[in-house]
Amino acid sequence: MSIDELKLVVLSALRHLVNTDTVHIPITSLDLLTRVIAYTPPAGLLPDKPPPRLRLTDLSRFEGILETLAVGWDEGTLKFNRDNGEFTIMDISLASSSSLNLPKKRKRVIDEEADSAAGDEDENEETPVEESSGQPLSALSSLTKEQLETFTLIQMSTAKGRLLAQQFRSPEDTFEPICSHITKDECAKAHRAESSLPYDPDAPISICDGIHFRPLIRPHTEPALGHCSYLNTCYSEPTYAQSPSIPPFPGSSHSYTPGMRGPTSLPSGLGAGGRGKEKAPCRYLHYEVDWDQGDGDGSEKRNREVGKTNTHRLGLGLGPTGKLTQKLPPQWINCDLRRFDYSVLGKFHVIMADPPWDIHMSLPYGTMTDDEMRAMPIPMLQDEGLLFLWVTGRAMEVGRECMRHWGYTRVDEVVWVKTNQLQRVIRTGRTGHWLNHTKEHMLVGVKTVKDDDGNLKFPSWVNRGLDTDVIVSEVRETSRKPDEAYGLIERMCPGGRKIEIFGRKHNTRPGWLTLGNQLGPDQISEEDLAARIKAKYPDRPLNIVK
């Protein structure tokens, strides 16, 4: 499909959306594209063939069409703003529709008796519709040029926001963007369609530098069914046990050479290649990374201009200690969380917990009753600080109740939107009685400490207003939470003592103490903590790491 054909479809869609008042500005280019995709072009738009349909992957071409319309459009005007890579349409008006900045007029109804004493007036006097209805025809049509410029400035990101994004940018260049076309073939087709050169079958195939995937076609695969929502986390998929996101067992006694696979944490009763006892393979499409010799040479990355390090840094809090300290190595204690003596652990500034809530569903791990959760000795771990509690399903209410019971006040909530291997939203979550869940919630609580006036006291060392309350991240093995959650917490509380309860081997990380019953031999770095544990449990073996 040519760019001129796409432009005809876009023009037809814009006329329809504006005339039917089904688009409200300002609107992002992605939101407008979704409305254009949902629009059905009229028959005969193109004389010899049906009109082409746009896809979400055509966003860059769609934005190019909008830019040409903003430069010159005989049927109307279009204004847009591009800031930090986000394309926002600020106003759309048609010369032949009611969306023009000039108000439509209508004939005024005259009462002859009432007007007889006022003298003769022009019976054809017309009144603007805006004056009679009191409502503007367009969201921005009534703004002056100065007001429109002010509105555009308000929509831009702030200098503080840009500095924060730069200051907390990951120093490791480990992020690899995934091509929106998924496969190399589709990516090559898109490059040919966007190229202005004539098609040459002998020309080398050009693809982007992003990550591509190839479909796994097995004897039982039915491609017509589409791709599996779980993809590489599907319990029936053999590659689940080979996932590089499943690390080897932690601890000095369980080390493996690079490239060697260790024991994995497959869900209880479920194994790769079959659903439990049924051993029924998944018939949907699965994918693997498509990498060949010569791919990923990073040519596009090398050509990008590397900006100088910005010397302007925001004066953010340094946490409870008030100074930058080096993180301790990962620590963990393997124990029965219902019977372990928490008094030996000391006090913590941050607590994160992912409890095995009883959500009245069949789960691949053991659960705890509501009474057992209420009896957890969480209060003794903090005098002041933050609690981050993962909840889902009915646990959203039980979790709030437990927070109050433990002496915490819920102050916020983080939502984790789950995506799959192809970075698409998971549509068939493994939990949910009424709707399939594709998200989880993390409640944010503050230890309830009040001042003399009865107001809640927030810890003075907490950095507030740095992050948003939505995390979009890929699902990995069972119960593994996104790494972005840890980054969010560590920015709110740099330094200090942090503990994660109900953790697994993949949760261990520098600066944190992890408690769980699947962690292997204990590993401790804090000498005073090791001494307290030895005093309480003399026969307990400890691996002390300095």
Side-chain angles (χ1 to χ4, degrees), residues 237-345:
E237 174 57 24
T239 56
Y240 179 79
Q242 304 166 11
S243 172
S245 66
I246 305 178
F249 212 74
S252 58
S253 61
H254 295 81
S255 59
Y256 297 89
T257 58
M260 180 181 176
R261 292 302 306 161
T264 55
S265 56
L266 289 174
S268 176
L270 296 171
R275 297 182 182 276
K277 298 179 180 179
E278 299 177 4
K279 298 295 182 183
C282 182
R283 297 180 298 161
Y284 289 80
L285 270 176
H286 293 83
Y287 291 85
E288 66 179 356
V289 174
D290 188 0
W291 186 89
D292 298 312
Q293 192 67 30
D295 287 352
D297 58 357
S299 58
E300 290 186 9
K301 291 182 181 179
R302 289 196 297 269
N303 293 332
R304 294 172 191 164
E305 181 180 355
V306 180
K308 296 182 179 180
T309 303
N310 197 320
T311 57
H312 300 284
R313 297 179 66 85
L314 298 180
L316 302 176
L318 299 178
T321 61
K323 59 182 180 180
L324 294 175
T325 56
Q326 187 171 359
K327 294 181 180 179
L328 293 172
Q331 304 180 91
W332 59 83
I333 300 175
N334 191 75
C335 61
D336 185 340
L337 295 167
R338 295 169 294 183
R339 297 176 176 83
F340 186 76
D341 186 358
Y342 286 61
S343 63
V344 302
L345 301 176

Side-chain angles (χ1 to χ4, degrees), residues 344-451:
V344 302
L345 301 176
K347 303 295 183 180
F348 295 87
H349 301 97
V350 169
I351 300 173
M352 184 167 77
D354 181 21
W357 301 101
D358 181 11
I359 58 174
H360 299 172
M361 296 191 71
S362 176
L363 298 171
Y365 50 80
T367 60
M368 293 175 61
T369 66
D370 296 351
D371 290 337
E372 287 177 323
M373 288 304 309
R374 295 186 190 95
M376 290 289 293
I378 301 297
M380 71 167 57
L381 297 177
Q382 276 185 333
D383 291 330
E384 74 163 1
L386 303 172
L387 171 63
F388 297 85
L389 188 65
W390 288 99
V391 295
T392 187
R394 63 178 293 272
M396 295 178 67
E397 284 72 36
V398 179
R400 286 170 168 80
E401 180 187 342
C402 287
M403 265 196 170
R404 291 189 295 268
H405 180 77
W406 294 333
Y408 289 83
T409 301
R410 189 192 71 83
V411 295
D412 220 319
E413 185 171 330
V414 178
V415 176
W416 170 28
V417 179
K418 301 178 179 181
T419 58
N420 58 25
Q421 182 186 18
L422 304 181
Q423 306 307 302
R424 298 174 179 175
V425 173
I426 292 180
R427 301 175 184 173
T428 55
R430 291 185 173 113
T431 61
H433 290 284
W434 305 101
L435 298 172
N436 289 319
H437 291 176
T438 187
K439 60 179 175 57
E440 284 191 40
H441 299 252
M442 183 173 67
L443 305 180
V444 183
V446 174
K447 185 82 174 195
T448 305
V449 180
K450 297 185 177 181
D451 58 19

Side-chain angles (χ1 to χ4, degrees), residues 55-103:
R55 300 181 298 176
L56 290 177
T57 54
D58 296 322
L59 180 60
S60 59
R61 304 175 74 181
F62 178 68
E63 290 178 349
I65 293 173
L66 295 181
E67 289 179 353
T68 60
L69 293 179
V71 173
W73 186 16
D74 296 337
E75 301 179 41
T77 58
L78 186 146
K79 300 177 182 178
F80 71 91
N81 175 56
R82 190 188 288 274
D83 180 48
N84 285 341
E86 181 165 330
F87 192 106
T88 305
I89 294 87
M90 307 302 296
D91 196 13
I92 305 176
S93 60
L94 298 179
S96 59
S97 74
S98 60
S99 295
L100 264 175
N101 291 347
L102 295 175

Side-chain angles (χ1 to χ4, degrees), residues 2 25 43 53-54 61 93 105 112 122 146 174 264 276 285 334 376 398 410 413 447 464 473 475 502 511 514 533 545:
S2 67
I25 49 177
R53 302 300 299 268
L54 283 94
R61 304 175 74 181
S93 60
K105 297 182 178 181
E112 295 180 357
D122 184 6
E146 291 76 13
T174 57
T264 55
L285 270 176
N334 191 75
M376 290 289 293
V398 179
R410 189 192 71 83
E413 185 171 330
K447 185 82 174 195
R464 300 160 68 177
S473 183
V475 171
F502 303 104
T514 306
I533 295 176
V545 179

Side-chain angles (χ1 to χ4, degrees), residues 140-158:
L140 301 179
S141 61
S142 59
L143 298 183
T144 63
K145 180 180 179 181
E146 291 76 13
Q147 290 173 328
L148 188 60
E149 291 178 354
T150 303
F151 182 83
T152 304
L153 288 173
I154 294 174
Q155 302 304 309
M156 294 182 179
S157 58
T158 63

